[in-house]
Amino acid sequence: MTGATGFVGRHLIQQLAAEHDVLALGRREVPEFSRLGVHSVRADLGAPVDLAAALPPDGVDQIIHLAQSDGYRDFPGSAMDMFQVNVASTAVLLDYAAKAGVKSFVLASTGSVYEPYANPMDEAAAQAPESHYARTKLAAELLAQSYSKLFNVCALRFFFPYGPQQTGRLVPNLFQRVQSGEQVMLDGEEGGMVFTPTHIDDVVAVLRTAALTGWQGAVNVATPEALSIRDVAEAIGRIIGREPVFARTGKAGQLTIVPPTTVLAGLMPDFRFRSFDEGARFFSQA
């Protein structure tokens, strides 16, 4: 697993370590991993990596590639780091997988590949995202497709994961604003952007299933519950007992980022996503 120290990785590795032998590839060793029985290999995916030297000679069965550049918001300052981590390291890992006889490769992608969200967010449709970050993630997906006849390759397009220990993203920022009494800004004339906040436990369940059952192709990963910014802020307010304060940005219109999840439902027909009210209570208590 790469990206094991990130938000998604930290939650996923705790579950996988109890079931499997896990090797975490990262820039630094993490004491917690040793306690979990996880083996660590130091490798900087922001630089050229010799995986043949870094990984065990007998190889690995599956690869879960969660790593992404920390500078995803910094263009052009981190443009090369985004390319190196998001694209070049994916190419190196895919090449290693082909030579090592890996059975499945799961790539963590993003719903940002659908920018500017003007067209249907269908997995089979061609995409032309706007940002450098989203373009590097889509490039990684395209590279991975080349190997789909050699082993199972799946790209999971995540939409708005949230949960305990997360910082600097939309849902924790909304928690902070409501809790501190700061204004929650709304675009348009209604409740602001409509999106699909997906709890980390559900994200981990999808990732685990994708890796262990060998999914193929691109899959949108999102809760079917679509909420506006106002809806989310009001739910947070009910949970923490504080009325949110709203203000308008003055921007006309509002984004709706709600992908179809028919492919995911076909792969996990009995899976039930947590409601935001349910998931946010655990998040607020962490």
Side-chain angles (χ1 to χ4, degrees):
M1 182 192 302
T2 71
T5 59
F7 168 60
V8 174
R10 291 196 308 272
H11 287 268
L12 177 61
I13 206 165
Q14 291 185 30
Q15 182 172 125
L16 289 183
E19 305 169 342
H20 305 277
D21 292 329
V22 180
L23 189 151
L25 192 73
R27 294 178 179 175
R28 64 185 186 279
E29 295 183 4
V30 180
E32 179 187 353
F33 289 175
S34 297
R35 292 193 292 272
L36 292 171
V38 173
H39 306 288
S40 296
V41 172
R42 295 186 66 180
D44 183 359
L45 296 184
V49 177
D50 182 1
L51 282 179
L55 295 179
D58 53 350
V60 296
D61 296 317
Q62 295 150 332
I63 292 177
I64 301 176
H65 187 24
L66 302 178
Q68 70 167 16
S69 170
D70 291 336
Y72 62 95
R73 290 175 174 165
D74 179 23
F75 179 81
S78 296
M80 288 309 299
D81 190 66
M82 278 188 268
F83 173 79
Q84 190 64 46
V85 177
N86 297 352
V87 184
S89 77
T90 302
V92 171
L93 285 164
L94 288 163
D95 181 66
Y96 168 82
K99 294 174 180 176
V102 166
K103 298 175 183 176
S104 70
F105 190 106
V106 177
L107 172 68
S109 190
T110 171
S112 297
V113 299
Y114 295 111
E115 294 171 346
Y117 310 110
N119 300 313
M121 288 170 264
D122 187 288
E123 290 98 332
Q127 304 302 327
E130 297 178 327
S131 71
H132 188 73
Y133 163 70
R135 285 169 173 158
T136 61
K137 297 300 283 186
L138 183 58
E141 287 193 26
L142 295 172
L143 286 174
Q145 287 176 15
S146 300
Y147 292 80
S148 61
K149 292 182 179 179
L150 302 179
F151 45 82
N152 294 323
V153 177
C154 176
L156 300 179
R157 295 171 176 172
F158 295 118
F159 286 78
F160 305 99
Y162 76 94
Q165 303 172 25
Q166 188 185 38
T167 59
R169 305 307 285 264
L170 178 56
V171 172
N173 286 347
L174 287 171
F175 261 99
Q176 183 179 354
R177 284 185 171 275
V178 174
Q179 195 162 36
S180 64
E182 296 179 65
Q183 292 180 332
V184 174
M185 306 304 294
L186 305 177
D187 292 340
E189 298 179 356
E190 298 182 11
M193 182 178 74
V194 178
F195 68 114
T196 53
T198 308
H199 193 271
I200 186 60
D201 288 351
D202 296 334
V203 169
V204 164
V206 172
L207 263 166
R208 178 185 176 279
T209 304
L212 299 183
T213 60
W215 288 4
Q216 292 261 29
V219 181
N220 291 336
V221 180
T223 174
E225 182 183 31
L227 300 172
S228 68
I229 295 290
R230 178 185 286 276
D231 292 333
V232 170
E234 289 177 343
I236 293 169
R238 290 193 298 271
I239 291 167
I240 66 175
R242 181 156 193 150
E243 193 73 23
V245 179
F246 297 102
R248 298 287 174 185
T249 64
K251 295 180 182 178
Q254 59 190 39
L255 278 175
T256 296
I257 307 178
V258 180
T261 54
T262 306
V263 173
L264 179 62
L267 293 164
M268 299 178 70
D270 299 322
F271 186 71
R272 185 188 72 84
F273 281 87
R274 287 162 178 75
S275 68
F276 184 76
D277 279 348
E278 181 184 358
R281 290 184 187 280
F282 290 107
F283 184 34
S284 66
Q285 293 165 7

